[in-house]
């Protein structure tokens, strides 16, 4: 096992051990910057629901954030747009569970760090704009790394 892997595993262990502090900090930062989201901590998970309005359209947003997700999905975040019209398509940057693919988990993530939830939330708006463009033009016009 490489030194980087050992350090990364230790960092994740510390986040899990001190999950309440991590989630309280994330909650504070999201509430400070995103008053359209209702945020709470339940069962070791930061959850949020709200409606994002962009260009006359509304997008119901649901998000979950926890260091305990890393064991199964290899990231802390699950962010969804709860719209029945949005179907899975790898060209629109969705995972199979319909959660948004907002960043590349290895390339965009800082070494030995995580992406704070408050930094990801503006990316939801960008995703929505690119999705609407994709519906018009059939091409994802946003920055991307092919899956």
């Amino acid at each position: 096992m490489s030194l980087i892997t050992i350090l990364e595993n230790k960092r994740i262990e510390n986040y899990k051990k001190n999950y309440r502090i991590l989630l309280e900090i994330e909650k504070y930062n999201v509430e400070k910057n995103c008053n359209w989201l209702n945020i709470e901590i339940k069962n070791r998970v930061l959850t949020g629901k709200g409606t994002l309005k962009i260009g006359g359209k509304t997008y119901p947003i649901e998000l979950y954030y926890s260091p305990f997700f890393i064991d199964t999905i290899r990231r802390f975040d699950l962010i969804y747009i709860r719209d029945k019209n949005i179907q899975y398509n790898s060209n629109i940057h969705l995972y199979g569970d319909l959660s948004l693919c907002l960043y590349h988990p290895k390339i965009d993530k800082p070494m030995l760090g995580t992406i704070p939830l408050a930094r990801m939330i503006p990316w939801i708006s960008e995703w929505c704009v690119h999705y609407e463009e994709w519906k018009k033009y059939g091409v994802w016009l946003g920055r991307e790394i092919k899956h």
Side-chain angles (χ1 to χ4, degrees), residues 12 18 22 50 91 96 101 111 117 124 141 143:
I12 299 298
N18 299 302
L22 169 70
N91 292 326
C101 176
M111 184 180 288
L117 184 58
I124 301 169
L141 297 175
R143 189 178 80 100

Side-chain angles (χ1 to χ4, degrees), residues 47 72 85-86 120 135:
T47 64
T72 55
N85 295 319
I86 298 176
M120 282 185 247
K135 288 192 320 186

Side-chain angles (χ1 to χ4, degrees), residues 1 12 17 49-50 54 60 65 72 88-89 104 106 113 121 125-126 141 146-147:
M1 193 179 312
I12 299 298
K17 182 176 154 188
K49 288 186 180 184
I54 301 171
Y65 190 87
T72 55
Y88 176 76
N89 184 322
H104 191 284
K106 289 187 178 175
I121 289 175
S125 301
E126 290 178 19
L141 297 175
K146 290 290 185 189
H147 297 179

Side-chain angles (χ1 to χ4, degrees), residues 84-103:
K84 293 176 185 161
N85 295 319
I86 298 176
Q87 302 292 314
Y88 176 76
N89 184 322
S90 63
N91 292 326
I92 62 171
H93 299 275
L94 288 175
Y95 290 103
D97 65 355
L98 300 181
S99 63
L100 302 183
C101 176
L102 299 172
Y103 61 93

